[in-house]
Amino acid sequence: GAGVSQSPSNKVTEKGKDVELRCDPISGHTALYWYRQSLGQGLEFLIYFQGNSAPDKSGLPSDRFSAERTGGSVSTLTIQRTQQEDSAVYLCASRWTGNNEQFFGPGTRLTVL
Amino acid sequence: AQSVSQHNHHVILSEAASLELGCNYSYGGTVNLFWYVQYPGQHLQLLLKYFSGDPLVKGIKGFEAEFIKSKFSFNLRKPSVQWSDTAEYFCAVKNNQGGKLIFGQGTELSVKP
């Protein structure tokens, strides 16, 4: 597809379960970002991947959050032992190296019961 | 640390009214500034961006923004809003280390027909 895609679009889980959220960036984009959009917190940066460099994990809120990017393309954000405060929309964005514009996906709405 | 402040949480206007949304950032170095828009049920989309040069930047759908370095501001303007401009607007500054975006809290704009 032409844009960033994310799956699932909605995820409802029970407290304490693990979840995986997927992001397919735009083909050829070397930089990939995860953000979280929640009520009261706005849009927060979580993690950033650039090529083969070590990821910038400075925005991850706790060690229950992790992400990987396989083959420089698809990324998976994993949240272990989910808590109710993890409920949010998780957004992925990608960027081509020679451009400062980030293109956002539609997000995954996570609800933790 | 970099931060972005948007002064208005919710703005309500009638069609044809003029719009100005405030945005202030805290960062003393070179800045790249952005306004993103999120229409109901849609992705975040880039409205306009400033990197260098002319401080008056024109974007899509008749929006413009002015970078005033002395005021650390990047306010968004539109001379005459339409009902279709109803959306949430986010101001962001790009972090020079890795390019993550630091977002303001967002301003919800409601335009009455």
Side-chain angles (χ1 to χ4, degrees):
Chain A
V4 177
S5 61
Q6 293 185 244
S7 60
S9 54
N10 280 286
K11 176 72 177 178
V12 179
T13 190
E14 294 178 347
K15 179 181 172 181
K17 301 284 189 184
D18 297 352
V19 295
E20 286 189 351
L21 312 179
R22 177 186 168 107
C23 172
D24 282 89
I26 294 172
S27 178
H29 282 196
T30 55
L32 186 148
Y33 304 79
W34 283 97
Y35 295 87
R36 177 168 73 173
Q37 186 175 20
S38 54
L39 287 174
Q41 298 295 323
L43 271 157
E44 306 170 277
F45 164 77
L46 296 176
I47 188 169
Y48 158 61
F49 296 90
Q50 172 65 61
N52 295 321
S53 303
D56 174 357
K57 304 178 182 180
S58 61
L60 294 178
S62 78
D63 59 8
R64 296 186 294 104
F65 288 71
S66 63
E68 61 178 22
R69 189 178 184 192
T70 53
S73 180
V74 171
S75 177
T76 302
L77 177 69
T78 301
I79 309 173
Q80 296 178 308
R81 305 181 303 281
T82 52
Q83 303 295 311
Q84 287 182 332
E85 61 263 28
D86 299 335
S87 295
V89 176
Y90 289 82
L91 296 171
C92 177
S94 70
R95 175 178 65 84
W96 175 60
T97 303
N99 191 319
N100 279 304
E101 180 179 351
Q102 295 182 24
F103 291 83
F104 283 81
T108 293
R109 181 175 296 279
L110 174 66
T111 303
V112 182
L113 302 177
Chain B
Q2 289 175 294
S3 66
V4 177
S5 174
Q6 292 182 239
H7 313 304
N8 313 100
H9 178 63
H10 191 187
V11 172
I12 302 172
L13 295 173
S14 297
E15 276 194 314
S18 64
L19 170 72
E20 181 159 2
L21 301 183
C23 173
N24 286 91
Y25 62 92
S26 66
Y27 184 64
T30 302
V31 288
N32 295 152
L33 294 157
F34 304 80
W35 275 98
Y36 279 85
V37 60
Q38 189 170 30
Y39 297 103
Q42 295 190 25
H43 309 188
L44 269 172
Q45 311 175 27
L46 182 68
L47 261 184
L48 47 78
K49 58 189 176 186
Y50 171 80
F51 295 152
S52 64
D54 188 345
L56 184 61
V57 179
K58 294 194 183 298
I60 61 172
K61 304 188 179 186
F63 286 91
E64 64 179 31
E66 185 174 12
F67 169 57
I68 304 179
K69 188 175 181 179
S70 61
K71 295 184 178 180
F72 297 91
S73 71
F74 190 56
N75 293 354
L76 181 71
R77 300 194 294 246
K78 185 170 183 178
S80 176
V81 295
Q82 301 174 312
W83 176 78
S84 58
D85 294 324
T86 294
E88 189 155 16
Y89 293 80
F90 294 91
C91 181
V93 62
K94 182 175 83 73
N95 181 294
N96 287 329
Q97 296 173 339
K100 67 186 181 188
L101 293 175
I102 310 298
F103 286 91
Q105 289 294 311
T107 298
E108 185 178 348
L109 172 66
S110 299
V111 181
K112 299 181 294 183

